[in-house]
Amino acid sequence: MKSKSLAALLMAGAMALPAAVAHAEATPAMREAATAGVDARAKLAQQMVDQVFSYAEPGFQEFKTSEYLTGILEKNGFKITRGVAGIPTAWTATWGEGGPLVSLGSDIDGLLGLSQYPGIGDIKPMVEGAPGHGEGHNSGMPLMVVAALAAKDVMEKNKIPGRLMLWPGVAEELLATKAFYVREGMFKGVDASIFVHVGRDFSTGWGPGGNNGMVSVEYTFHGKTAHAAGQPWDGRSALDAVEIMDTAWNFRREHLPITQRSHYVITNGGGQPNIVPGVASVWYYFRENDFQSIRKLYELGNKISEAAAMATDTTVEHHVLGYAAPNYSNRPLAEAAFKNIQAVGMPQWSDADKAFAARVQKANGFKPTPLSTEVTPLSTPETRGPSTGGGSDDIGDVMWNVPTITIRYPSNIPGAIGHNVTSAMAMATPIAHKGVVVGAKAVALTVLDIMTTPKLVADAKDWFQNVQLKDDKYDPVLSAADKPAIWLNTDTMSKLRAKMEPFYYNPKKYDTYLDQLGIKYPDGTVK
């Protein structure tokens, strides 16, 4: 898009908005400079997306990822605070003075068992059994870094007061940190918060998100060991208690509202068959769409666990490992961001991009669906309709404490399955890189809106206090004794990191990660 046309679109968008979110002070020249600042960093965006993809670190193990991203921010004048909320891979990066404080965040963790070569349509792990970016979390913080640097340039040149705070969503796939961030006061004093998440579309919205909140809890039963053949009567099987709990829950599930989602894995089933298990554990996710229902589901799980313990003459203890509040986005911020999304527009997809998307869809049996070329309309409660439940995202905990929105940016392929290797196939290709660039422009422009339009900040806070919090309040089930589960995935990475290290991207030697891997784009063949 040419500079002149972009400036005209932005001015037209400003005039079309209601006064509550009008672009009152940021000039077209400032906006043009912000988008140009993103374009000037397109190469940096590509390198960061590819680098984080290559690290592929799961929740609580994002050490290389965090070291890399904070290093870039520190070199650009941001103050880094590491280990926030007692989480070794969590951090904040702050810059600026005076004016509004704007929070910019996205997730950085990968998923277990989803290692996948990018740029090919066939399922092929780089390291068998290793984690991978099967949701595209390698792209969000690179987007935010580029957006922040572009906005910072404009603010410095034009002496615009304001502060930026960047932060990573650690272990989001475990829904295990943002409630702890909030509890530790990380968002105290934040005036507005922008979060981004990878998608197939370019969109934002306001109001209740239609997804579920969630509590993650592990139940550990304690019994008594004995010889399983010689003296089984002297044993008390903790595994029996786990199995009774799971069976009871599955029967009870039939009589729960359709909005609930619940699932579990047995994390410890005992040692060997000829020893009655003295300890066994099962890990549950309980999901519902409002605070009261989440708490009731959690309490029901506790009740059934106690019944299973009584039935087996064992004892049970439970530990909350994570929590996610239902999502709820701020209307004034979303309307302002949507105007910027419209002005920026979709990426210009090349013939190679289109061919690669079609190749992935064909190879995996997905419905042929072209890459989107139009911005998705603003999502509202009316356009979404009633919710019957679904996934969770712990950005909800931030949303119930400060005015917050989520912007989705188009860095993946239509039809790719979430939490699956097919969602990793495009995430170190030009499709991912182009989606990050347009997303960064929308974020940078919205940051300028917040910094230069006091009425936008006031309206966002008013809507947060008098609409969002009118009939509901933040009500997590975390207790003071609950701590972040920072031990999770430690054993996995101790076994796999050495095998993954040879696949780390080297941008000093290779232009792109696909070049390093010897993959020809878009046909997915080895060069």
Side-chain angles (χ1 to χ4, degrees), residues 9-238:
L9 278 169
L10 288 164
M11 290 182 69
M15 291 187 292
L17 276 171
V21 291
H23 301 154
E25 297 180 29
T27 66
M30 292 179 191
R31 299 179 188 286
E32 199 66 38
T35 58
V38 172
D39 283 329
R41 294 177 173 88
K43 181 60 181 176
L44 174 62
Q46 173 258 307
Q47 289 180 340
M48 288 192 290
V49 168
D50 290 1
Q51 190 76 67
V52 178
F53 183 95
S54 75
Y55 290 147
E57 295 171 305
F60 292 118
Q61 306 304 313
E62 310 97 336
F63 292 101
K64 292 292 293 183
T65 299
S66 289
E67 178 186 11
Y68 171 69
L69 293 172
T70 55
I72 292 171
L73 288 163
E74 202 161 26
K75 288 177 182 177
N76 283 276
F78 282 76
K79 177 185 176 181
I80 309 300
T81 303
R82 296 178 172 86
V84 297
I87 300 166
T89 55
W91 45 269
T92 60
T94 55
W95 170 85
E97 59 183 14
L101 173 57
V102 178
S103 150
L104 303 175
S106 192
D107 302 319
I108 60 172
D109 56 325
L111 283 154
L112 295 180
L114 298 189
S115 176
Q116 170 65 29
Y117 276 94
I120 67 173
D122 299 320
I123 296 173
K124 183 181 180 182
M126 286 191 282
V127 176
E128 193 70 42
H133 277 291
E135 188 164 325
H137 284 179
N138 60 300
S139 57
M141 281 312 298
L143 184 161
M144 284 305 203
V145 171
V146 168
L149 296 181
K152 174 177 175 284
D153 286 349
V154 176
M155 292 171 67
E156 287 178 323
K157 181 178 179 179
N158 295 278
K159 297 181 173 55
I160 299 171
R163 295 159 290 154
L164 299 173
M165 180 182 78
L166 281 77
W167 55 274
V170 167
E172 188 277 336
E173 301 296 3
L174 301 170
L175 298 154
T177 57
K178 296 186 186 77
F180 292 102
Y181 289 172
V182 168
R183 191 178 71 178
E184 294 304 310
M186 200 168 102
F187 297 92
K188 185 177 180 180
V190 168
D191 294 290
S193 178
I194 303 174
F195 187 75
V196 296
H197 196 284
V198 63
R200 287 84 178 150
D201 61 345
F202 198 9
S203 64
T204 192
W206 60 267
N211 60 348
N212 280 346
M214 190 212 74
V215 57
S216 166
V217 56
E218 186 173 44
Y219 297 92
T220 298
F221 292 86
H222 298 271
K224 180 182 177 183
T225 64
H227 194 300
Q231 295 170 269
W233 44 81
D234 286 331
R236 298 293 180 268
S237 174

Side-chain angles (χ1 to χ4, degrees), residues 393-444:
D393 191 325
D394 57 358
I395 188 59
D397 293 86
V398 182
M399 289 173 160
W400 283 94
N401 284 273
V402 296
T404 304
I405 57 169
T406 292
I407 294 174
R408 296 179 65 86
Y409 54 95
S411 282
N412 217 319
I413 294 173
I417 302 169
H419 292 194
N420 182 270
V421 291
T422 57
S423 286
M425 291 173 175
M427 288 313 303
T429 73
I431 293 173
H433 306 148
K434 291 175 182 179
V436 163
V437 168
V438 298
K441 290 178 181 179
V443 171

Side-chain angles (χ1 to χ4, degrees), residues 214 258 339 430 445 490:
M214 190 212 74
I258 61 171
K339 290 296 181 181
L445 292 170
T490 301

